[in-house]
Amino acid sequence: MKGMLIKDFRLLKNQGKTLVLMLLVIAVFMNLMTDVGPSFIVGYITIIFSMFTVSTISYDEFDNCYLFLMTLPVTRKEYVNEKYLFTLLSIIFAWCVGLVLGTVLLVIQPSAKIDAVEWIETCLGYVFTAWIFVSILLPLRLKFESEKARYANLIVIAGVIIAAFLAASAIDYLPGEIVGTGKQWFSGLSSAGILGMFAGITAAVVIISYLCSQHIMAKKEF
Amino acid sequence: MLEINGLVKHYGDFTLNCTMKVESGRITGLVGENGAGKSTTFKAALGLITYDAGNITLMGKTPAELMKTEKEKIGVTLAESGFSGYLKVKDVVPVLEAMYPAFDRTKFLDLCRKFGVPQDKYIKEFSTGMKAKLKVLAAITHGADFLLMDEPTTGLDVMAREGILNLFREYMEEDENRSILISSHISSDLESLCDDIYMIHKGGIVFHEDTDVLRNKYGLIKADEDQYRKLDKEYMLRVRRESFGYSCLTDQKQYYLENYPDVVVERGTLDEVITMIIGGEKL
């Protein structure tokens, strides 16, 4: 797995440098020219970069390279393990870059009122969002070739939006006491509690995604 | 090293039906035209595709059982596949180092220099020949016991091809228990390198012979109508109608040379054997 990680970090170094620079420039420009806040900048850099980490699978597919990779001392299981480890680690890296930039932009703002704990909590939420994001993308990318994966992504995003809309609409039809109790429980949660719940959901999504990816890879024909 | 018994794989209209063996200490060739089933055989042996029937054992394991330790002991080049084009050779070196405990970095880099494989250029910018050389060099420099080389010389000029074939010879000389399975549609490469050769045609193995036997015993008889009528047909494997009369493939060249001095009997090159096996008629 170490060899595969080196490969992906080398790909990242070769191909991702420009992306990181571009993201930083756009982020600073957005912060200075528009009214988006530093917290948006952290989310923007983390989530956009997370998409790039998934695209290392496209680099593996280039020139049918996938086939060759599977002849190296790497099992299918290890390949999936490596992809998850790599994407999750890369997202932390992108988040750190975003966090440093966001913090700098926050500090230099004259009207800034910084609550360090709240700031870190908000930003941590973006790591979880990005992890959920790649957890949806990775199994799709492993299952479908790049062109088909693009359509699959669109379908999944549309599915998530429709599901969220249906869930929100369903609240109106639920008995009042259940909704009331739920709202009460949720509003009673501290920000750390909400973050903890978010972390739990993220962990569940990552695990389900990982298991799906292992299943897809085990069945894959090259 | 590798044993394939009754392997069957269906791909739409195409069916691969293959039985073959690569023994320890030998170089075995697999020759056949494009689409004959060479790459499918390699993929099945390496566990990259499932198959519908048959048994495969590679270094004592079935393809599904191949783990890291076995894969460290094999070197593979595939016809249409290699390292990602977005890497450079200098990126590939640490990858190979991390993957293969016995990777010989110095030897690999020396060979890259010798064969003109640039280290600081994206692989996607390489010529076909450079890519082919890189794949072979990566496969032979990590102490593998068995090489599976699918079309390793494709895209190489004559000099580079000879250089790569010499590398295979040196590889075998280093340890007598090593083996190579090599496929090619350039039969002269295989003829000069291999101990035995399998010929695959439309998914089936149609011919297998030791190269020495092929060289010494196979011959192509060229006879006119009258000469052909008088010839003993017992040792003829295939016959084909020609403008001058008949071409006949035999595996008893000496018999015809001794008994029919007036008939032309040429040495059977692999190309001729292939042409006759595929295009000739069985008697």
Side-chain angles (χ1 to χ4, degrees):
Chain A
M1 191 161 79
K2 188 179 159 199
M4 293 293 282
L5 273 173
I6 295 172
K7 172 192 74 69
D8 277 341
F9 279 114
R10 291 274 173 153
L11 278 171
L12 192 68
K13 194 181 120 217
N14 291 346
Q15 305 300 318
K17 265 187 301 193
T18 328
L19 178 73
V20 172
L21 278 175
M22 202 179 75
L23 285 176
L24 289 176
V25 171
I26 294 175
V28 172
F29 180 80
M30 278 201 300
N31 187 254
L32 295 178
M33 300 296 173
T34 67
D35 56 356
V36 299
S39 119
F40 177 84
I41 300 298
V42 181
Y44 163 77
I45 290 176
T46 312
I47 291 165
I48 299 288
F49 194 80
S50 71
M51 288 204 283
F52 176 74
T53 61
V54 177
S55 77
T56 54
I57 296 178
S58 307
Y59 291 111
D60 288 349
E61 273 180 350
F62 182 81
D63 256 3
N64 223 359
C65 161
Y66 235 145
L67 202 63
F68 176 65
L69 285 179
M70 287 299 127
T71 69
L72 300 176
V74 182
T75 60
R76 292 172 185 232
K77 197 174 175 185
E78 281 170 340
Y79 181 84
V80 175
N81 292 348
E82 186 274 336
K83 276 293 161 219
Y84 276 79
L85 187 62
F86 169 73
T87 47
L88 300 183
L89 287 177
S90 305
I91 286 169
I92 293 176
F93 160 76
W95 180 74
C96 289
V97 172
L99 188 68
V100 169
L101 180 69
T103 309
V104 169
L105 292 172
L106 193 68
V107 169
I108 58 170
Q109 271 174 5
S111 59
K113 280 188 213 152
I114 310 166
D115 177 343
V117 176
E118 197 182 308
W119 168 242
I120 293 289
E121 280 173 352
T122 312
C123 293
L124 266 176
Y126 291 120
V127 176
F128 298 147
T129 311
W131 278 350
I132 289 177
F133 198 56
V134 295
S135 296
I136 296 167
L137 292 180
L138 274 173
L140 289 174
R141 199 62 199 77
L142 289 170
K143 176 81 182 165
F144 303 106
E145 286 165 16
S146 66
E147 200 55 38
K148 284 183 190 161
R150 219 167 286 163
Y151 294 118
N153 289 348
L154 287 175
I155 292 166
V156 168
I157 291 165
V160 169
I161 292 169
I162 292 167
F165 174 75
L166 290 176
S169 309
I171 288 172
D172 298 339
Y173 300 98
L174 286 172
E177 62 266 31
I178 295 177
V179 178
T181 318
K183 278 183 180 169
Q184 213 176 356
W185 175 79
F186 197 76
S187 57
L189 281 177
S190 63
S191 56
I194 293 171
L195 199 65
M197 194 176 73
F198 197 10
I201 293 169
T202 307
V205 172
V206 171
I207 290 166
I208 293 167
S209 160
Y210 170 77
L211 294 174
C212 290
S213 294
Q214 284 291 9
H215 181 73
I216 292 164
M217 202 59 185
K219 302 269 171 202
K220 203 171 174 83
E221 293 263 307
F222 293 96
Chain B
M1 280 289 183
L2 173 67
E3 200 164 344
I4 302 175
N5 280 316
L7 166 69
V8 177
K9 173 75 183 172
H10 299 287
Y11 268 131
D13 294 342
F14 176 81
T15 299
L16 175 73
N17 198 330
C18 177
T19 294
M20 64 180 297
K21 195 174 181 182
V22 182
E23 285 177 42
S24 184
R26 285 171 76 86
I27 306 180
T28 297
L30 182 61
V31 68
E33 71 266 48
N34 292 328
K38 300 189 296 289
S39 295
T40 308
T41 307
F42 276 85
K43 284 188 201 174
L46 290 161
L48 301 171
I49 51 168
T50 55
Y51 42 95
D52 305 311
N55 300 304
I56 300 175
T57 46
L58 174 58
M59 301 180 97
K61 297 272 175 83
T62 66
E65 291 168 347
L66 288 177
M67 288 292 134
K68 215 173 140 182
T69 39
E70 289 84 34
K71 284 180 156 189
E72 279 169 7
K73 286 292 171 192
I74 57 173
V76 181
T77 66
L78 296 172
E80 301 289 330
S81 178
F83 283 107
S84 174
Y86 291 91
L87 290 172
K88 298 174 180 176
V89 169
K90 66 177 188 181
D91 300 319
V92 167
V93 172
V95 175
L96 292 171
E97 255 175 341
M99 284 190 169
Y100 297 101
F103 177 66
D104 188 340
R105 181 194 174 99
T106 316
K107 186 178 177 185
F108 175 78
L109 292 174
D110 285 349
L111 286 171
C112 281
R113 275 187 285 274
K114 184 181 166 190
F115 281 92
V117 177
Q119 290 179 37
D120 203 11
K121 190 175 177 182
Y122 285 114
I123 294 169
K124 67 185 166 96
E125 291 162 14
F126 278 21
S127 66
T128 316
M130 278 182 201
K131 282 183 193 168
K133 286 187 248 181
L134 172 64
K135 286 193 269 187
V136 172
L137 300 185
I140 61 164
T141 47
H142 61 260
D145 292 334
F146 185 30
L147 299 184
L148 289 107
M149 307 274 102
D150 186 16
E151 302 272 4
T153 52
T154 301
L156 295 177
D157 57 61
V158 184
M159 291 304 289
R161 238 167 55 209
E162 200 43 49
I164 292 292
L165 295 181
N166 280 335
L167 281 178
F168 291 146
R169 290 183 187 107
E170 283 164 25
Y171 166 84
M172 291 298 284
E173 279 162 18
E174 283 170 20
D175 185 340
E176 60 181 18
N177 292 319
R178 287 176 167 176
S179 303
I180 303 178
L181 171 64
I182 177 170
S183 82
S184 181
H185 57 267
I186 307 164
S187 53
S188 56
D189 284 357
L190 299 188
E191 208 175 353
S192 63
L193 180 76
C194 297
D195 297 302
D196 63 322
I197 290 171
Y198 285 86
M199 190 196 299
I200 189 165
H201 179 60
K202 291 183 179 167
I205 299 289
V206 291
F207 177 79
H208 173 226
E209 194 58 271
D210 278 2
T211 322
D212 283 346
V213 176
L214 193 76
R215 216 174 281 133
N216 298 326
K217 293 196 166 177
Y218 277 68
L220 199 67
I221 304 163
K222 297 196 167 170
D224 59 27
E225 298 274 355
D226 194 39
Q227 287 170 324
Y228 178 71
R229 254 195 311 277
K230 290 175 191 163
L231 280 173
D232 182 353
K233 313 284 190 300
E234 196 182 342
Y235 305 112
M236 284 183 189
L237 302 173
R238 297 283 193 282
V239 173
R240 195 176 60 191
R241 198 86 171 79
E242 305 280 4
S243 56
F244 56 81
Y246 291 92
S247 282
C248 316
L249 179 70
T250 178
D251 59 353
Q252 297 295 332
K253 180 175 68 178
Q254 204 54 33
Y255 170 78
Y256 289 97
L257 280 171
E258 284 168 10
N259 293 295
Y260 301 94
D262 55 330
V263 174
V264 178
V265 183
E266 293 174 349
R267 193 178 79 83
T269 64
L270 185 56
D271 267 333
E272 279 160 347
V273 173
I274 291 170
T275 315
M276 288 299 290
I277 293 280
I278 292 170
E281 271 178 45
K282 263 186 186 173
L283 282 173

